[in-house]
Amino acid sequence: MTVPKEMAEKCLWMLLPWRGSWTLRSKELGQEEERHVKANDRDYNEKFPYADNRIKTSKYNIFTFLPINLFEQFQRVANAYFLFLLILQLIPQISSLSWFTTIVPLVLVLTITAVKDATDDYFRHKSDKQVNNRQSQVLIRGKLQNEKWMNVRVGDIIKLENNQFVAADLLLLSSSEPYGLCYIETAELDGETNLKVRQALPVTSELGMDISKLAEFNGEVVCEPPNNKLDRFIGTLFWKENKYSLDNEKMLLRGCVLRNTEWCFGLVIFAGLQTKLMQNCGKTTFKRTSIDRLMNTLVLWIFGFLTCMGIILAIGNSIWEHKVGSSFRIYLLWNEVLNDAVFSGFLTFWSYIIILNTVVPISLYVSVEVIRLGHSYFINWDRRMYFSKRDTPAEARTTTLNEELGQIEYIFSDKTGTLTQNIMVFNKCSINGKIYGDVYDEFGHKVEITEKTASVDFSFNPLCDSRFRFHDSNLIEAIKLEDPTVHEFFRLLALCHTVMPEEKNEGELVYQAQSPDEGALVTAARNFGFVFRARTPETIVVYEMGKPVTYQLLAILDFNNVRKRMSVIVRNPKGQIKLYSKGADTIVFDRLDSSNEDLMYTTSDHLSEFAGEGLRTLALAYKDLDEDFFEMWLKKLHFASTSLENREDSLAALYEEIEQDMMLLGATAIEDKLQEGVAETIACLSLANIKIWVLTGDKLETAMNIGYSCNMLRDDMNEVFIVSGHSALEVEQQLRKAKEQIVGPSREIGNGHTDPEKKDVFKRGSVFEETITAEYALIINGHSLAYALEADMECMLLDTACLCRTVICCRVTPLQKAQVVELVKKYKRAVTLAIGDGANDVSMIKTAHIGVGISGQEGMQAVLASDYSFAQFRYLQRLLLVHGRWSYFRMCNFLCYFFYKNFAFTLVHFWFGFFCGFSAQTVYDQWFITLFNIVYTSLPVLAMGLFDQDVNEQSSLEHPKLYEPGQFNLLFNKRKFFTCTLQGVYTSFVLFFIPYGAFLDNVRDDGSHITDQQSFTVTIATSLVIVVSVQIGLDTNYWTAVNHFYIWGSVAVYFSILFAMHSDGIFDIFPNHFPFIGTARNSLCQKSVWLVILLTTVVCIVPVVAVRFLRAELFPTMTDKVRYLQQASRRQRPREHNLKRIRRTSSRRSAYAFAHQEGYGELITSGKNMKFSNPFATLPMGKMQGSTSWIDNLLKKRAEPSSSTGADRTPRQMHKE
């Protein structure tokens, strides 16, 4: 007897000693209330059902694959429908067709789909196996042993070494660095490549790397249960009768990478699927396209229609049998006489269900899978989506979602690594009123800088960074001429920062900075001869033009979001005390000496020019300090820093006191490099009515800067709303205020709630964002988003966001990204696409209808979880506007034609039923029924589904508006289905009654009758094949040799098989299967038969041609107009419509990205991060934080910019520095 697992676990929990971490009630609910972890005690920890460290992203295993996959496949109504038909065909009393005609294609479809799903899941298993088999050093029974990640357990102590991935969520115990510090990179968690600092408890950091002490460590951690909050951890360590508070700053999360730390030890708190990374990943779901879902509905409709036809014919059979059927038994003898007319009608109903089932043939689904596979290969083979620098082609990782690429309405994009390269480049600077960085030709005209532009020669500096590029040689000349202001400028950049240098070999410097902006500025100073070489808590060593100079570091005036600047106070070798400061221009300008007024205005103009080019700017200033004044100020600083009350306010006041009357040096301009083509791609997709939302874990300032750089944010926007409330009430008020400002306080909007007069404007329950002519932007941080996503506020958030042209969510967790996507899916019912490149994007990639992974610098997790992948964001434009639009267009045309063709083919049986005594007799012979969809008409419709184009790829990219029909489901919907089925019904009516009427009183040339059933069958079948072949010719927009060969070849194959089946030779071989010798030959040699075929074809086709001609002339669509232009320009040289970047003027300026938290200046000056035994061994420190004034790049869609744009408009100040 087998005991159910749930019952066994329940009984076990009643017997186990209870420590308060679980209750029976919480166990039954599957919830953990509190976690208890004992170090080095697996026996204790295994009492609790904690997850092991094995991860699983796959859907199936060898035992569950068949049942789960079949269950998923039979969710497709058509598969269940065909299974039902197969069961009917196995009943001999009602089956008029052989059972193998259904089972063979059904098994084929199920097998092909299963193989594809198994292949996809195999790669997930392979990825899981690779991760689970990574090696880690685990402390077991007093010894470090190499163990696979999947064998690590909660409570184990593991050792990590530099550049290793963190195997599980760990409590940091000790490290190789002073005071238990260690440095991690969290790119896979929040997308940031900047280093972050973690610090162990002082009591555990004393354990060091003493294995014996670590093995004896028996502390117990009581903490929160597993959750998805990346920025929070609450726990307590109990050890040696003391307790110590634990927070997130003492945790190393799975997915992080240890950097610049030789080794560290950690205690496993959460493992495997319970780690915060995996809690944010979301589940792998079965994705289906909107066309698939519509097909399910249509199949139900068709089955209902089929049932109605069956009932009509069954009633007719009962009436016929009751009134006249008995008279025919003399001619048509029954094996068993059935006197019950009602029961006869009942059997006839099921017989007609079988005969008429070809209105939805299973070959439709085989063809759909083949077409999707072909479209996937077209994406894989597209050389224009191949990134040669990394040898990375585009890859369609699924074959079931291609047509949905042509229906995207919302794109959710990560920022770091997706829109940007995460590379900061020192581009230009303004020193003492002069701009450096521009290049001019011999006529004094500014030259655009490209990769071919000659770079400055830095060979005079042996410590320069060979990767650094600068093109203005005037700055080098000023350096060599020892211009004092230029020297002071770069001296400031070399001193005023919190960067840590690392020099493993002589001259090989590596700078570790938490902000890439800081690294770019220090690297620029390094190349221009001011090389930051080393630091201690009290000194900074700079090599100035090759000579070492040691500065005494007296104070670091740290930065925060209010100050938006940082300063250092140093004493140079001459004994002079200097303050060097850098920060947001408006902040620094307010603290300048009055003698700087002219220089300030000049520099301000330069800053505006830099901002117009999308560069991030900082102002630099210095001040000479009097010795006595500084000594007095230092005493005040010491007193304020040790006070217990109002410490922060006192320090801020002292900083403000000394940072006055400074002298302006100039400004820097850094380019936060976007990926190539990002701005153009976003502009083009916006013209295609696709809304792009940026969801990033990065800081608000950084996200906004990128928004301006790629033209998502602009100065001429009516308003930029920033939602940053710290409570639910504040967030609600800010959202309501934003919405009222856009639509007015009296207007009530919401999902599905509209004014009657506005009803026509609303589509699919959405708000009336189409009526908003002004442009707004919404920016919301993660803390506020957590409140806004609650059930009572999510609709307000969605309404407000949808009224805005641009939406940016910053500081969001991976799970919040998925929740935003789910919110839009739930209420807007729009097709969504999520694109990202890191593990922090996996959750939203899985949640969106389409997930796109960029194979970038943050690993392959996003790619492995995605449906499509490529190397650059710009390829998204081609994926959607070319491949996606074509796939949708082809699939819609294919389905419309397929339904038309099969209704025309099948409904002839319905009309024939009224003339054959409702006997379920087929018009066509069984071979024609079998071969019609498999041989006679399969290849032409496949060719159309694979190769057809309404317009070429160039026109698709030049006219993004062509994408809109897919967003509104205009090419295939219930109305389109009704239209094409109505055409099919009309065609079937003509196909039956014109030959019937013509042959009713017709005779052959020799006077004999032509009205035998087989001749009638041949005439209708031939008319049908010709009509559907002509129709597909009309439906084909783009003719290739393949189309010609398949269409006319299929007609030729039909005639070949027709004459073969009615030949003498095949009768001699199979006399029972092919008894009608010469029927085709005798029928098709009659002129009257060909006249009937011609008349039938004309009557079927001419109305279609007339309607299409009138529609194109009177009501041309965008596609018709573009196709006309395309045809007209074939003999002309094609015009180029490129989205070009032009320089714009703007008052908006951008400082480097300030952190959301305090800096690490205090940590540097305390010396906690220094190894005093080796003063040149360096570690990365604080994150540089500064003010942001805004930038933007105005993109123009065409080569000729409008001269009036923004000419008479004053940019609005949207956010005060």
Side-chain angles (χ1 to χ4, degrees), residues 676-704:
E676 183 182 348
V678 164
E680 292 82 354
T681 299
I682 289 175
C684 189
L685 293 177
S686 297
L687 291 174
N689 196 36
I690 298 175
K691 301 173 181 64
I692 302 175
W693 293 14
V694 176
L695 311 179
T696 176
D698 218 333
K699 295 167 281 294
L700 183 141
E701 289 85 356
T702 309
M704 291 187 71

Side-chain angles (χ1 to χ4, degrees), residues 704-718:
M704 291 187 71
N705 287 335
I706 295 302
Y708 279 102
S709 296
C710 58
N711 205 41
M712 294 180 69
L713 299 175
R714 297 198 313 273
D715 273 349
D716 58 359
M717 280 184 158
N718 295 69

